[in-house]
Amino acid sequence: MTTLPELHPRLIPHENSSSICEAYRRIQELEKATTTDTQPEHLIYARILGYLMLEGPTDQAGVTMAQGIISCVTDTDIFELGKKYMHCYLRVLMSRRPTHFDSSEVSRPSYDAVQGMLKTKLFQAPEDHQTAKRDALIRDGYRCPLTGAYDRTSLKSYPEVRRMALEAAKPAYRLHCAHIFPNFVNDPSKEAVSTTDTIKQNQGNYAASVHEVLRSFGYVTLFDDLSGRKIHRLDNILILDPVAHDHFDHLELWFEPMPGREDTYHVRYSDSIFSHKEWKTEIKFTSPDPELLPLPNPEYLKLHASCARVAHLSGAGKYIEELSGDLEDSLVLAEDGGSAGTLEYALTPWANT
C-alpha cells in the first residue's frame, strides 16, 4: 500500500482538471484522517478512488471518479463508493477461477494442415474455450510468449513442435488458455428459469453493476464485443504457463505498452519476488496472420494493467486476498462482527460464480 502522491494540475491534460483536483484533495484529506482508523479497509477504499484518478484506464475514468467523490455528502458515502469500485472493478479481474480444459479434447489438425489453413485462410472465430486455446497456440507458436515454455500436449502431437522445443532448450508444460476478461460480461440473469432463481438474478444484478462501472469509464461497446461466445475471441486470449497465468489472474503480473513499439510491452509485477530471471522483461506479441489469428487487444491489456496497478498501490489486492483466504479457512463467523468483511465478500455474487 502506497500513500497517494501530490497531484499537479498540469499533469491532468483535459478540461475537467479543476474538478479532479478538488476531488483528489478531498481524498488526500480523508487518507490522512483514516490512517489511524479502527477500520483499516476505509483507508483502502479512499486510496482506490485516489489511484483510479491517477491510474485509471481512460481520461473518462478520472472524470467519473471526480464526479462521484464530489457528489458524496459524508465520508461514509466516500467509503461506500470506494467499496463499490473494489467489488465491481478490481475483483472482476482478480482471483478468478478459470476452468482448464485439456486441449486434446478438441480435434487437432496435423501440423501441415495447420499451415495449409493459414495459407487458405480457413480459420473461424473460436466459440469455446477449447478451440480458443487451440487457435491461440497456433498463433503463439505453441509456446508461452512470456516464459518461452512449450505446450506439452502440442509437443507430443507434433514432431515439429518437439524439435523447436529441443532447439530452443525450453521446457514443456501444460500451457493455459488465459482470458484477459473473464465471463462476467455474460449476464447470468438472462439464463434464469424464473424470477425465483435468485442466485442467477443476483449474479445478473452484479454483472449490471460491473457493466455500469466500465461504461462510465468509456468502454461502451465492451460488453457487446465480448458477449456470449465472443468471450473466447482470440484478442481476449493469452497463452501463459501455469505460474504466469496465476500471477496474471491475481493482478500480480501485467503488461504495459512500450511507446512507439507496436504490440510490445514491458512486463510488470506487483512484487519483484514474482519475477523469474528466465522470463522476458519485455514482450512482443506476434501472429503468423494477425487478421486470421488476432493479437491480444491493447485496450483489454491496458484495462487489466490499470486494474493491477490500482489494486497494488491502494492495498486492495492484498485485502481481497485476505478476505478470500478467510473465506476458505473459516467454518464459522466471529461473534464480535470481525468477520463482517469476509461475509460481505462471500455474499457478493461474483464469489459464487
Side-chain angles (χ1 to χ4, degrees), residues 57-58 60-61 64 212-222 299:
T58 61
Q60 182 59 42
T64 298
E212 175 195 351
V213 165
L214 290 179
R215 283 196 182 98
S216 74
F217 288 178
Y219 292 96
V220 178
T221 66
L222 178 67
E299 281 300 314

Side-chain angles (χ1 to χ4, degrees), residues 276-309:
H276 297 253
K277 63 181 180 181
E278 299 86 2
W279 293 8
K280 297 177 182 178
T281 56
E282 62 181 62
I283 183 173
K284 180 174 177 60
F285 293 110
T286 60
S287 171
D289 190 323
E291 182 180 347
L292 284 180
L293 302 171
L295 295 171
N297 190 309
E299 281 300 314
Y300 299 169
L301 291 175
K302 179 182 178 182
L303 204 156
H304 176 274
S306 164
C307 194
R309 289 193 299 268

Side-chain angles (χ1 to χ4, degrees), residues 64-80:
T64 298
M65 288 300 100
Q67 291 172 342
I69 293 165
I70 291 172
S71 69
C72 290
V73 177
T74 67
D75 291 349
T76 299
D77 294 335
I78 293 180
F79 297 144
E80 288 298 316

